[in-house]
Amino acid sequence: MTVTGETARREAAEQLALSLVGAGMQRMGARAIAAFLFTDEETLTAGDLAQELGVSAGSVSGAVKMVAQMGLIERIYVAGSRREHFRMRDNAWTTLYSRQHTVVNDVLEAVEKGVDAVGPGRAHDRLEYMRDFYTFLINEAPVLVERFEQQRRAEPRS
């Protein structure tokens, strides 16, 4: 039996959320991201998310805050509404990737101190390898993002 329509959409959203949880994300944050990705609505409120996810409005507030801090969603003003509205950022994934760049810089600084702190040997070799890897990532990340954006602009959209 093939699952179609609303049931298929909900199952796909939950599967994506489970994959994000498997990658280390908090469950409610992962479910909130999936809700934003799978909606055709321009904006969602905490109440909308609570209804979509089948949880209380209070339980989504922390998830909304986390997802906003990640840079995936943004708060917007909706004329005539007294509720807070959120929408997925247009370039959410490149924004997230760029923000993770800061974490990589922090790791790189710590590793660099480690390389300087130890003498020749296995520890130095491991730390040096890690430093070189993170340096490579930092140097390549902007090039990859730009290539991705160029490719997206060149491809016809359905």
Side-chain angles (χ1 to χ4, degrees), residues 11-109:
E11 286 181 5
E14 285 298 326
Q15 184 60 49
L16 175 60
L18 284 174
S19 295
L20 293 171
V21 168
M25 186 174 287
Q26 292 178 356
R27 186 170 188 267
M28 192 55 68
R31 292 186 73 211
I33 289 170
F36 277 100
L37 286 168
F38 279 83
T39 187
D40 284 330
E41 298 299 322
E42 176 67 24
T43 68
L44 294 174
T45 65
D48 296 333
L49 281 170
Q51 184 177 357
E52 174 66 24
L53 301 176
V55 298
S56 70
S59 67
V60 299
S61 64
V64 166
K65 182 178 179 182
M66 180 192 78
V67 175
Q69 287 174 342
M70 292 170 68
L72 295 175
I73 63 172
E74 60 189 351
R75 182 178 300 145
I76 64 163
Y77 172 76
V78 173
S81 177
R82 297 176 71 189
R83 294 179 172 192
E84 289 184 313
H85 288 255
F86 301 89
R87 71 173 171 207
M88 192 92 186
R89 288 183 183 271
D90 289 338
N91 298 327
W93 301 108
T94 51
T95 300
L96 175 63
Y97 191 77
S98 297
R99 287 186 180 192
Q100 288 175 342
H101 199 82
T102 303
V103 174
V104 173
N105 278 327
D106 292 345
V107 170
L108 182 58
E109 285 180 28

